[in-house]
Amino acid sequence: MTSVQIDPSFTGYGKTGVCLLKIRRSGKYHGIKQIEVSTELKLNNYDDYFRGDNASIVPTDTQKNTVYALAKQHQLNTIEDFALDICTHFLSTHKQVNQVSVEIEETPWRSLQQGGVEHAHAFVYSPEVIRFCSVTYARGEKPKLSGGLKEMRILKTTQSGFTGFCKDKYTILPESTDRTFCTKVYCRYQFDAMKGVNFDNCWNFVKSTIVEEFAGPPHTGVYSPSVQNTLYLAEQKILNSIPQISYIEMAMPNIHYFTVNMAPFGLTNKDEILMPTDKPAGIIKAALSRNPKAKL
């Protein structure tokens, strides 16, 4: 018989797609938070795999019910705090659980506005950006927490170019000093320390920094010589501004808009009518980490 061993880095089990909506009522004014939670547990033994002994298994249905119950008891102000509480619950309740991983995505609802006034209890789905977080908490270790955003599609019609790039016999892309720049941002950042961290403030700062580095001042904008440079400047500012964040990664696909040739119609088109195309798209990504402090 072939000798085999189990890979603990991959082995685990849990529940995905646990969706819930929490309504917070304060008189006639209501607030909501809708989230999707995934949990994964790693046990201190593999008896369930090796011998079919299920005594140590916390059923995935129990994990689902735990998420609902904790959501009822939790303020659920931030998904990061809630993810940490879920991890802590399983580690403190079940001694056979060695590690818990929790991932949460928040559905982007916002209060509906009428005449500039927020409605007391009506909301509109506003998919500008999706917030997410991930926590891995191993027994006897510090939790590892990361937050982030995705699906944030942003576009500017000028103040972007791409010149001086490497060319070979297959290069047909013309240089441009004025082009439309569109991307769909993915960003994940990892906390090295969590004490005293305001997760909402951190997330809002990350989001606004990415937008500011992309767009620039509202009346003048800022020139982007490449997607790479814009991405790097945003990551650098975030690391320099939030000391608790030790690592950040971003991906910014270059979503192309091509000028439609209207000469066959007898029309001129000075980049007024563009044809959007999601695929193929360039993909640019980079990660920055804080330089480790020298040991004295």
Side-chain angles (χ1 to χ4, degrees), residues 83-94:
L84 285 165
D85 278 4
I86 295 172
C87 290
T88 300
H89 168 85
F90 284 114
L91 287 174
S92 61
T93 304
H94 301 284

Side-chain angles (χ1 to χ4, degrees), residues 17 69-70 73 79 86-87 102 132 155 162 178 191 245:
L70 292 179
Q73 303 166 39
I79 57 175
I86 295 172
C87 290
V102 174
F132 66 86
L155 179 151
F162 190 50
D178 190 6
F191 290 96
I245 292 178

Side-chain angles (χ1 to χ4, degrees), residues 13 41-44 55-59 62-63 65-67 69-70 73 84-100 137 139:
Y13 69 98
L41 307 183
K42 294 182 184 294
L43 306 180
N44 61 9
S56 295
I57 291 181
V58 182
T62 302
Q63 295 180 43
N65 295 337
T66 300
V67 171
L70 292 179
Q73 303 166 39
L84 285 165
D85 278 4
I86 295 172
C87 290
T88 300
H89 168 85
F90 284 114
L91 287 174
S92 61
T93 304
H94 301 284
K95 65 180 184 301
Q96 76 276 24
V97 174
N98 263 357
Q99 180 176 296
V100 185
Y137 200 166
R139 189 176 297 281

Side-chain angles (χ1 to χ4, degrees), residues 93-144:
T93 304
H94 301 284
K95 65 180 184 301
Q96 76 276 24
V97 174
N98 263 357
Q99 180 176 296
V100 185
S101 296
V102 174
E103 296 181 356
I104 302 180
E105 286 189 10
E106 183 173 341
T107 302
W109 290 104
R110 64 173 175 83
S111 294
L112 194 151
Q113 291 196 348
Q114 293 176 313
V117 178
E118 288 191 353
H119 198 281
H121 55 259
F123 304 84
V124 60
Y125 183 71
S126 181
E128 176 184 300
V129 61
I130 295 174
R131 178 174 177 175
F132 66 86
C133 76
S134 174
V135 177
T136 297
Y137 200 166
R139 189 176 297 281
E141 300 180 10
K142 294 194 304 181
K144 298 175 182 177

Side-chain angles (χ1 to χ4, degrees), residues 226-243:
S226 66
V227 180
Q228 285 89 333
N229 185 246
T230 297
L231 184 156
Y232 172 78
L233 291 175
E235 290 186 329
Q236 183 186 50
K237 183 175 179 180
I238 291 164
L239 277 186
N240 287 339
S241 302
I242 305 178

